[in-house]
Amino acid sequence: MSWLIAILQAVLFVTLAPLLAGWLKWCKCHLQNRKAPSLLQPYRDLIKLTHKQPVVSEQASWLFIKAPYIVCSAIVLAASVVPLIAVNLPTSATADVIVMVGFFAFARFFLALAGLDIGTAFGGMGSSREMTFSSLAEPAMLMAVFTLSMSASTTNLSVVIAYVLDQGLVLRPSFVFALLALLLVAVAETGRIPVDNPSTHLELTMIHEAMILEYSGRHLALIEWASELKLMLYGVLIANIFFPWGIAETFSAQALAYGLLAIISKLAVLAVVLAISETLVAKMRLFRVQEYLGFAYLLGLLGLLSHIILEAAR
Amino acid sequence: MTLILAYSAVLLSLASGLLSLMTNQRHTLLELASGGVKQIRRDENCQGVIFDQLDEHRFPVFLRQTVFILLGVSGICAILAGLAVLISREVFTDQIGLGLPWLPWHVRFDSLSGLFFVIIGIAVGAVSLYGPGYVQGYQESRNPFAVLGLFTGLFVAGMLLVLLADDAFMFMIAWELMSVASYFLVAFQHENPANRRAAFLYLLMAEVGALAIILAFGVLASFADGLTFDALREAKLSTVWASIAFVLALLGFGMKAGIVPIHVWLPEAHPVAPSHISALMSGVMLKVALYGLIRFCFDVLGAVQWQWGVVLLVLGTVSALGGILYAMMQTNLKRLLAYSSVENIGIIFMVLGLAMIFLDNGQPQLAALAFLAALFHAFNHALFKNLLFLGAGIIHHQTHELNIDMMGGLIKKMPQTALLFLIGCMSISSLPLFNGFVSEWLAFQTALQADVLDNGVLRSLIPVSAAALALTAALAAACFVKVFGLVFLGLPRSHHAEKAQEVKYKGMLIGPAILAGLCFLIGVFPGVMIHLLNSVADSVLGQTMPNDSAAGWLWLAPVSAKQASYAPLLVLVGALIAGCVTFWYLRRDPAKAIRTADTWDCGFGALTSRMQYSSSAFTMPLRRIFAKAWLIDERIDKDMQGALNQDVAAVHYQLHIQDHTWPRLYQPIESAVNALAKQVGRIQTGNIRTYLGYSFATLLLMLWVVS
């Protein structure tokens, strides 16, 4: 039963991810006085891409062709670990939050290699920048995560969430710092403004788009889907860890439906916040990003230290 | 029986070394054989075989293969002996009447030695499959095989003897055998002055390290009666003397293991040795140094202090970060790998430091967890660093190039090597499903338990070092993306890379393939390895890691299933399902098969390999962000021409990156030694009467002291 729900949850994750991207775009368009595309546009784009014949460079090796599948599978696996509508699912135990970060690293490793495979300057540029900034973002993310896992004394995401639910609404300085750090990292890792802009192809600033410039057809569809999934994953992580209320603790149909409703509304609100911030903030210069990520790292560290000094003091 | 296996491993490696001396003795062998055959005479077949093998052209090949087969059998014996002692958890002791009459060699073979026997055995086995093909490329007149074979055998025997030693005397002899034999291996291609310099630096630092170790044993021995480890264990030391012994041992073993700032010999010596030797040095010899430190601190010295743990933690963190940052900037593939060894040794030291801290704070279970993580990482590092060095050897063998800026596109020319190297890169970048990840995961789990400590400083120091570990892991991934991307992907950057072919000699692929397979298998079934390592933790700390058995063998749950768990096999199954479903769904329509076309060139015309990212371009953002970590000398010169001298004809770019340790640490020491030597030189007048006067004064002084 619990495995069934876990699979159902993973499927929900995968299918809802484009909807979140559509909703985000819709909010942004309305905030910027533009005419918004339909909420289902990301689905249409994905379907269109899967029906197209992919064009691959003559220089490409097997790695370039396999990479989208590997990247997508790694992100799907990472998603299956994160509790979406219910806690106490077995998938959270197969891999904890450190493994989840490992899946992200896995996906990034292959995407960066695929960027280098063709031998164009753009691909190399994207890979170099992606690896640089992610190697700064990853420790910041782990710092934030460690703060939570030290408070709950576990790295199992499901148990962390259950712990926060159990504690009720307590204002902890460490959680506030961790939340801020995770928000900053999430923006950087999902390639949103001010770190990267997924909707432009300007060589001075692009990071993620430069790596995948050579992809087309179903390969591009997989990568786009994976990045939408990653956006949703970070959203769920923030929503469910810091505001877990509403998530199902039992496996009754009612609780699950309630959990689904809760996470959809939480994500909708988060997307609005992201849309507002993307509208208000301008894109950063490339060599300001390390300061931004350094700040996130510092916040994570402060969270950890405040947990150790203020909350766990004996 | 186990001990006999261990001895035969040592003897076989010695035998392989001695056998290689036969290279120049073909005529003697021929005479011997004809003499022997006269006596046998009956067996025509046998006679034919013998003379066939002694033929002028076949003999060197035959000899090489026999030498490496002996080495391989020695490796297998070492693995078997190690596994036997790890599984049975027994301790074997023995005495050999070698050495001085009143100082027999004491031998002890326990779980800790057994684990390192397995590490050496696997590495030696892989190298012996790889070696025959690799050494073919050497010219006999310039680089005689006899030298290489002899010192390889001695080197391996030395390492194995270090593990068997149970008294300081035998330990030091074996240690020196290992050091000196490896010096000759580093100096093997001595026609190049840079190699001679590297070898001398290595010898110098190895001997300084050995002195420190001797002094450390001396401190212990002055409180004990005898030089056996049993006697040394009994020694009652005050904390101060124990700490002095610890610092000396750390200096000695740390110099061999290559922690920052005493790592400088490592990036010089490892690249210049033949690749299979660099694999042994980097993958195995550093582990022997680690063994020495563990044996000295946890076993012989006994009660560890948490302050030592802090020292190890800080040094380890500095080494890990420094190692990977320096590695990132290298363009020589083997030099890069050597610096990455510094990083991995740093990680192991960090986790060992945690083990000491937990042990002294009354948390033996957590100490066992940390200890296990350290040993696991040592084992993993031996596997993947060996794999990567052997891979680098194949690349060097096929392209005659070690500069990664001169490679590219090798994945199409050498697909099998590429796959093996990719597995190595994934393991060392600690990606899930591979072995490197498991040990880093365990290290993180240990660091997250810092909450149990009472000391507030420690509780905040440990998470900070965990953060540094996270940064190290992420930078390592970036570094190895660079390596794999520049070497194997993209367009060939040089003529050599364009003409490269897959290796002909299959053994050169089988050796690394075994290592790659082990990397993957241990990544998916870490439980087996944990079980073996637990017996080491049990024998050294008297405590095992409580892998939550309620969760089943599939799971890795180091503290309790509720706190953290990882089931790599289930993850693998999940990954396969996800990958296969998408693959099947998207590829089911043959009409939409892939179409190949030219690379998009922005409409500017043909792309050339010069337009690709190079090593220095790839690392430019990091170089800018962490600018303080290196001494960077970057120079851009422009050749101007034209009427007003304003047209740029050519641009010259120079980049020179140096370690901070040379100008900060070593050059002051060097000038101090020189200055001291000058002062000493003053009393050397060159006049015999003065020297006689010195002798007389010394004699008087001695007499006065004696009376």
Side-chain angles (χ1 to χ4, degrees):
Chain A
M1 178 63 187
S2 56
W3 278 103
L4 257 179
I5 294 175
I7 291 168
L8 173 78
Q9 183 181 283
V11 171
L12 262 179
F13 227 120
V14 173
T15 48
L16 284 182
L19 186 64
L20 179 68
W23 167 247
L24 182 64
K25 202 168 271 172
W26 193 87
C27 293
K28 250 178 101 172
C29 284
H30 277 268
L31 281 169
Q32 297 168 354
N33 276 336
R34 289 185 287 144
K35 196 168 182 314
S38 148
L39 279 181
L40 299 179
Q41 191 58 39
Y43 291 104
R44 292 188 194 127
D45 288 342
L46 289 179
I47 292 169
K48 179 190 75 184
L49 284 174
T50 52
H51 284 296
K52 283 193 165 187
Q53 186 188 30
V55 183
V56 170
S57 158
E58 285 162 346
Q59 305 297 335
S61 66
W62 60 266
L63 202 136
F64 183 82
I65 297 161
K66 298 283 181 293
Y69 299 97
I70 298 174
V71 170
C72 193
S73 312
I75 301 285
V76 168
L77 272 184
S80 70
V81 169
V82 182
L84 179 72
I85 54 172
V87 288
N88 295 328
L89 289 176
T91 40
S92 300
T94 53
D96 64 356
V97 67
I98 301 173
V99 185
M100 189 197 79
V101 176
F103 286 140
F104 285 151
F106 206 107
R108 191 188 310 126
F109 190 86
F110 274 92
L111 209 52
L113 285 184
L116 285 166
D117 192 28
I118 306 295
T120 60
F122 275 127
M125 188 179 75
S127 302
S128 158
R129 291 177 178 177
E130 173 87 359
M131 291 319 285
T132 306
F133 293 125
S134 65
S135 55
L136 299 176
E138 201 180 291
M141 165 146 191
L142 277 177
M143 277 296 94
V145 164
F146 284 172
T147 311
L148 304 169
S149 50
M150 272 181 112
S151 306
S153 64
T154 172
T155 53
N156 183 328
L157 274 174
S158 174
V159 183
V160 172
I161 292 172
Y163 169 83
V164 178
L165 272 178
D166 192 41
Q167 294 279 304
L169 188 63
V170 191
L171 186 67
R172 298 155 175 274
S174 64
F175 271 43
V176 176
F177 283 125
L179 171 62
L180 288 174
L182 207 55
L183 276 173
L184 292 181
V185 171
V187 167
E189 283 278 65
T190 52
R192 312 298 306 190
I193 294 174
V195 175
D196 192 5
N197 189 350
S199 50
T200 66
H201 288 101
L202 180 68
E203 63 262 37
L204 288 176
T205 58
M206 68 176 164
I207 301 174
H208 182 258
E209 291 298 315
M211 278 191 298
I212 62 170
L213 216 50
E214 289 290 328
Y215 276 115
S216 58
R218 55 175 174 255
H219 300 148
L220 185 61
L222 279 175
I223 289 175
E224 291 289 338
W225 203 343
S227 56
E228 283 160 6
L229 202 54
K230 202 170 169 187
L231 178 70
M232 173 151 165
L233 210 157
Y234 271 98
V236 171
L237 214 55
I238 291 166
N240 270 350
I241 291 179
F242 296 98
F243 315 100
W245 296 280
I247 198 165
E249 288 180 272
T250 53
F251 295 153
S252 69
Q254 196 192 355
L256 289 177
Y258 189 55
L260 182 62
L261 209 64
I263 189 64
I264 287 178
S265 43
K266 277 186 268 185
L267 282 178
V269 174
L270 256 182
V272 173
V273 172
L274 181 61
I276 293 174
S277 87
E278 287 210 318
T279 309
L280 292 179
V281 179
K283 166 91 182 58
M284 237 186 306
R285 208 154 53 83
L286 193 70
F287 280 104
R288 295 286 300 280
V289 175
Q290 82 266 25
E291 290 164 24
Y292 169 94
L293 287 172
F295 183 58
Y297 185 71
L298 203 67
L299 282 176
L301 199 62
L302 275 180
L304 200 61
L305 291 179
S306 60
H307 164 73
I308 286 164
I309 295 163
L310 300 176
E311 291 159 26
R314 49 188 89 185
Chain B
M1 179 62 198
T2 313
L3 211 51
I4 293 174
L5 269 176
Y7 284 150
S8 50
V10 177
L11 290 178
L12 280 168
S13 57
L14 274 179
S16 94
L18 293 178
L19 186 71
S20 63
L21 284 182
M22 292 290 166
T23 326
N24 304 326
Q25 311 296 327
R26 196 174 65 88
H27 293 289
T28 329
L29 281 181
L30 214 54
E31 279 168 26
L32 263 178
S34 49
V37 168
K38 262 177 211 152
Q39 284 166 9
I40 305 169
R41 210 175 271 271
R42 289 170 302 216
D43 199 342
E44 288 288 325
N45 202 3
C46 167
Q47 189 182 344
V49 170
I50 290 175
F51 281 104
D52 216 25
Q53 299 300 2
L54 287 177
D55 178 74
E56 193 167 354
H57 297 292
R58 294 201 52 187
F59 179 66
V61 179
F62 169 71
L63 190 78
R64 269 205 294 269
Q65 276 170 350
T66 325
V67 165
F68 278 108
I69 286 171
L70 274 181
L71 203 63
V73 176
S74 147
I76 291 169
C77 285
I79 297 175
L80 290 178
L83 281 180
V85 76
L86 279 176
I87 291 168
S88 70
R89 301 195 178 190
E90 280 177 70
V91 177
F92 301 92
T93 50
D94 194 12
Q95 279 195 16
I96 314 177
L98 288 167
L100 300 175
W102 62 94
L103 271 177
W105 288 8
H106 294 75
V107 169
R108 187 179 140 106
F109 192 46
D110 61 3
S111 304
L112 184 61
S113 316
L115 173 70
F116 287 88
F117 251 71
V118 174
I119 292 179
I120 294 182
I122 293 174
V124 169
V127 161
S128 65
L129 284 171
Y130 177 90
Y134 187 77
V135 298
Q136 262 175 9
Y138 289 120
Q139 283 175 351
E140 189 58 38
S141 54
R142 246 194 182 173
N143 306 110
F145 176 70
V147 176
L148 185 65
L150 173 68
F151 288 111
T152 309
L154 287 179
F155 176 50
V156 172
M159 289 196 290
L160 292 173
L161 282 174
V162 168
L163 303 181
L164 286 175
D166 195 34
D167 62 80
F169 179 59
M170 176 182 173
F171 188 92
M172 284 322 297
I173 288 180
W175 184 268
E176 287 296 309
L177 181 63
M178 173 180 93
S179 296
V180 174
S182 53
Y183 160 75
F184 285 105
L185 292 171
V186 172
F188 180 58
Q189 283 160 302
H190 53 79
E191 62 275 5
N192 189 344
N195 296 7
R196 289 200 297 271
R197 188 178 163 275
F200 179 69
L201 178 70
Y202 169 55
L203 187 67
L204 192 70
M205 294 193 69
E207 290 313 307
V208 171
L211 273 181
I213 299 171
I214 291 177
L215 286 177
F217 277 125
V219 170
L220 271 184
S222 60
F223 291 90
D225 50 342
L227 284 172
T228 62
F229 285 173
D230 272 334
L232 297 180
R233 276 187 202 102
E234 298 300 315
K236 296 272 178 292
L237 273 78
S238 64
T239 317
V240 177
W241 278 112
S243 300
I244 290 173
F246 166 75
V247 169
L248 284 169
L250 181 63
L251 186 68
F253 293 118
M255 212 168 249
K256 199 66 157 181
I259 53 171
V260 174
I262 39 182
H263 66 285
V264 286
W265 65 270
L266 212 139
E268 303 295 327
H270 286 198
V272 303
S275 285
H276 64 292
I277 300 299
S278 342
L280 281 183
M281 285 179 73
S282 203
V284 184
M285 191 180 71
L286 305 187
K287 305 294 147 8
V288 175
L290 197 70
Y291 162 85
L293 190 73
I294 293 174
R295 174 70 79 195
F296 192 87
C297 295
F298 285 90
D299 188 13
V300 176
L301 211 48
V304 294
Q305 309 286 327
W306 63 264
Q307 290 91 338
W308 307 349
V310 174
V311 172
L312 280 190
L313 188 68
V314 172
L315 275 179
T317 311
V318 172
S319 300
L321 268 178
I324 194 63
L325 283 174
Y326 291 137
M328 191 90 77
M329 293 302 142
Q330 305 304 320
T331 49
N332 180 321
L333 183 55
K334 280 169 81 178
R335 222 175 135 85
L336 185 150
L337 291 176
Y339 267 122
S340 138
S341 291
V342 174
E343 174 228 335
N344 280 287
I345 289 289
I347 294 175
I348 298 170
F349 269 56
M350 272 167 89
V351 192
L352 266 186
L354 287 180
M356 285 184 172
I357 292 173
F358 283 125
L359 197 62
D360 196 36
N361 277 292
Q363 301 286 346
Q365 281 209 338
L366 291 178
L369 173 59
F371 190 69
L372 218 92
L375 291 181
F376 205 155
H377 199 72
F379 185 80
N380 290 340
H381 179 240
L383 288 184
F384 53 62
K385 193 44 70 64
N386 243 317
L387 171 58
L388 289 172
F389 262 115
L390 294 185
I394 296 179
I395 296 166
H396 187 207
H397 196 258
Q398 300 304 106
T399 64
H400 308 286
E401 191 67 72
L402 274 175
N403 184 350
I404 55 177
D405 276 340
M406 288 296 172
M407 297 179 200
L410 293 183
I411 193 169
K412 278 164 238 149
K413 313 273 170 23
M414 307 163 71
Q416 285 143 332
T417 312
L419 186 64
L420 297 175
F421 206 85
L422 181 64
I423 292 176
C425 287
M426 286 163 81
S427 303
I428 202 168
S429 311
S430 56
L431 299 185
L433 295 180
F434 290 89
N435 60 354
F437 181 77
V438 182
S439 44
E440 286 214 0
W441 187 80
L442 285 173
F444 278 129
Q445 293 298 349
T446 321
L448 284 179
Q449 305 297 325
D451 247 357
V452 302
L453 297 173
D454 291 327
N455 188 329
V457 178
L458 282 183
R459 260 190 296 157
S460 32
L461 182 69
I462 292 173
V464 172
S465 71
L469 180 60
L471 182 61
T472 310
L475 287 174
C479 180
F480 282 91
V481 162
K482 176 189 106 166
V483 171
F484 192 82
L486 295 188
V487 173
F488 288 99
L489 305 178
L491 304 172
R493 290 178 179 78
S494 70
H495 185 67
H496 281 310
E498 212 173 333
K499 296 274 174 265
Q501 286 174 341
E502 188 63 276
V503 275
K504 298 259 172 15
Y505 186 80
K506 283 288 164 254
M508 282 178 81
L509 288 172
I510 295 172
I514 291 173
L515 295 172
L518 279 174
C519 280
F520 180 67
L521 280 181
I522 289 173
V524 178
F525 300 101
V528 184
M529 202 58 218
I530 298 276
H531 181 73
L532 290 179
L533 292 175
N534 255 335
S535 87
V536 182
D538 192 23
S539 84
V540 177
L541 302 178
Q543 182 77 38
T544 57
M545 185 185 95
N547 196 7
D548 205 331
S549 53
W553 61 272
L554 253 180
W555 303 74
L556 201 60
V559 193
S560 75
K562 203 168 180 303
Q563 290 206 348
S565 51
Y566 171 42
L569 190 63
L570 292 180
V571 167
L572 177 67
V573 170
L576 285 178
I577 291 174
C580 292
V581 167
T582 45
F583 196 72
W584 166 79
Y585 177 74
L586 292 172
R587 295 286 288 264
R588 69 201 184 294
D589 187 357
K592 284 179 291 191
I594 293 164
R595 184 163 68 88
T596 52
D598 287 344
T599 311
W600 180 61
D601 54 11
C602 308
F604 279 111
L607 291 168
T608 69
S609 63
R610 301 259 303 154
M611 294 177 187
Q612 298 177 92
Y613 255 46
S614 64
S615 169
S616 51
F618 192 90
T619 51
M620 192 282 268
L622 281 166
R623 205 162 56 233
R624 201 158 152 177
I625 293 170
F626 295 102
K628 292 270 171 8
W630 310 274
L631 292 173
I632 300 177
D633 180 16
E634 195 175 15
R635 208 177 296 160
I636 303 173
D637 296 324
K638 288 179 186 158
D639 292 350
M640 298 306 221
Q641 64 175 29
L644 290 166
N645 218 17
Q646 286 199 330
D647 301 338
V648 177
V651 181
H652 303 280
Y653 178 77
Q654 271 188 334
L655 180 67
H656 189 69
I657 294 173
Q658 210 192 359
D659 224 308
H660 267 305
T661 45
W662 273 111
R664 292 274 164 87
L665 186 66
Y666 292 92
Q667 276 165 9
I669 291 180
E670 193 189 333
S671 48
V673 168
N674 275 337
L676 202 69
K678 262 197 191 123
Q679 296 300 320
V680 172
R682 282 190 185 181
I683 60 170
Q684 293 172 325
T685 54
N687 190 334
I688 190 124
R689 279 166 295 178
T690 331
Y691 290 148
L692 282 173
Y694 290 153
S695 306
F696 184 63
T698 314
L699 200 67
L700 279 185
L701 191 75
M702 296 299 255
L703 281 173
W704 179 64
V705 168
V706 168
S707 62

